[in-house]
Amino acid sequence: MNGKILEIENLTVSFDGFKAINNLNFSMDKGELRVVIGPNGAGKTTFMDVITGKTKPTTGKVSFKGRNLLPYSEHQIACMGIGRKFQTPRVYLKLTPRENLELSCAQHKNVFASLVGRASPGEHRTIAGLLETIGLISKADIPAELLSHGEKQRLEIGMLVAQSPDLLLVDEPVAGLTDEETANVGNLLLALAENHSIMVIEHDMEFVRQIARQVTVLHQGSVLCEGSMDEVQNDPRVIEVYLGTPQDEHPAIA
Ligand code: ADP
Ligand code: MG
């Protein structure tokens, strides 16, 4: 197998003849942190929907760790190691952060331990480490409903990591967060990127600048360009696409 975790060839998704994804080619290396940006309607969410099996392509190929994903259901693809974080946090509000993480660990690794109601000592270590990584040690044992929006986002990223996916897909993790919370989520993703493959879809340009190494710009369902944040920011095609759309809707890229 080559070092690619994800390879997408000539992907097209048509909705009643409208191509939300149009002959898109993309690949990502194992261990990479990739940010995907693009104006509204560029096809970013559809792209994630195809990777997770929620939407099946009209034509094209999607391979994960060298394996063709098209025959598999959304659930099977999740079990194969692709974890997705949706925009809105989906944590159990009445449970504590620690309990939320225990549940996520248990669901995916050790169903028996959760049936008998005890996390194994190894899991406790993992959960303590995760609580530290997501910066919630001091709030580990209060109900999650008392967390701020940013803390809930970090908890949900922790819950995703607890499932040990090989590839983490994160959809607009800082929408609606304060600047401080945005920086916290950025630092968390950077820390996780040291030993995970992560794809982040994002609009917030400050945030993209904070975390981006390799950036892919989508436009009208295709890859417009790829490169470092500096390369992408100075690409005339990208400037045109961003400046050609209303400023209040799409933050300027430069
Ligand atoms: P983004 O996430 O980049 O804003 P989307 O992937 O949500 O873009 O949408 C890309 C395009 O496809 C948009 O024009 C959207 O209206 C269209 N689209 C998305 N889902 C559907 C659907 N289920 N049926 C019809 N059109 C859709
Ligand atoms: Mg979207």
Side-chain angles (χ1 to χ4, degrees):
M1 198 186 97
N2 59 25
K4 299 287 178 198
I5 190 151
L6 197 60
E7 284 180 290
I8 290 167
E9 286 170 50
N10 304 324
L11 183 73
T12 295
V13 178
S14 298
F15 294 116
D16 297 326
F18 171 76
K19 291 178 177 169
I21 298 288
N22 188 2
N23 200 30
L24 184 148
N25 288 282
F26 176 92
S27 74
M28 203 179 131
D29 291 336
K30 200 166 177 293
E32 204 184 312
L33 168 63
R34 178 73 63 97
V35 181
V36 176
I37 63 172
N40 278 338
K44 302 182 298 296
T45 299
T46 307
F47 183 47
M48 246 186 207
D49 289 345
V50 171
I51 297 168
T52 55
K54 187 174 175 215
T55 299
K56 290 294 171 190
T58 312
T59 55
K61 230 177 117 180
V62 180
S63 314
F64 171 59
K65 296 190 291 184
R67 198 162 164 193
N68 174 19
L69 285 186
L70 296 187
Y72 297 100
S73 69
E74 195 173 4
H75 176 69
Q76 287 170 322
I77 290 171
C79 292
M80 286 161 76
I82 298 185
R84 178 179 196 173
K85 188 203 160 312
F86 289 87
Q87 197 173 326
T88 341
R90 298 177 172 191
V91 304
Y92 295 97
L93 295 174
K94 300 290 176 198
L95 300 183
T96 66
R98 190 189 305 281
E99 289 164 342
N100 270 286
L101 291 173
E102 280 172 357
L103 263 184
S104 299
C105 263
Q107 269 168 19
H108 289 263
K109 279 191 215 144
N110 192 345
V111 176
F112 180 72
S114 77
L115 287 177
V116 299
R118 273 275 144 250
S120 69
E123 273 174 355
H124 277 306
R125 267 202 302 280
T126 315
I127 287 162
L130 260 176
L131 282 165
E132 188 174 0
T133 306
I134 61 177
L136 289 180
I137 286 188
S138 65
K139 300 193 172 177
D141 299 304
I142 63 168
E145 62 193 348
L146 300 178
L147 301 178
S148 71
H149 182 48
E151 289 166 342
K152 285 193 196 104
Q153 292 283 13
R154 280 188 272 138
L155 173 56
E156 208 195 354
I157 292 172
M159 289 162 67
L160 186 59
V161 173
Q163 298 161 19
S164 304
D166 296 314
L167 173 64
L168 283 81
L169 304 178
V170 185
D171 203 347
E172 296 197 28
V174 300
L177 295 192
T178 63
D179 289 350
E180 192 190 344
E181 285 168 335
T182 297
N184 287 339
V185 169
N187 289 331
L188 170 57
L189 290 173
L190 286 174
L192 293 175
E194 284 175 15
N195 45 19
H196 292 85
S197 309
I198 308 179
M199 185 196 294
V200 182
I201 285 185
E202 195 46 65
H203 275 293
D204 183 322
M205 289 303 157
E206 268 311 308
F207 177 70
V208 172
R209 247 180 241 120
Q210 183 195 347
I211 66 165
R213 286 124 190 220
Q214 187 81 353
V215 180
T216 297
V217 185
L218 289 194
H219 177 54
Q220 296 179 345
S222 304
V223 173
L224 183 67
C225 74
E226 269 177 348
S228 68
M229 190 64 199
D230 278 345
E231 285 164 352
V232 158
Q233 240 175 321
N234 293 313
D235 188 305
R237 293 166 301 175
V238 177
I239 294 170
E240 193 188 326
V241 164
Y242 270 83
L243 297 184
T245 53
Q247 291 287 295
D248 55 349
E249 226 184 304
H250 313 302
I253 197 160

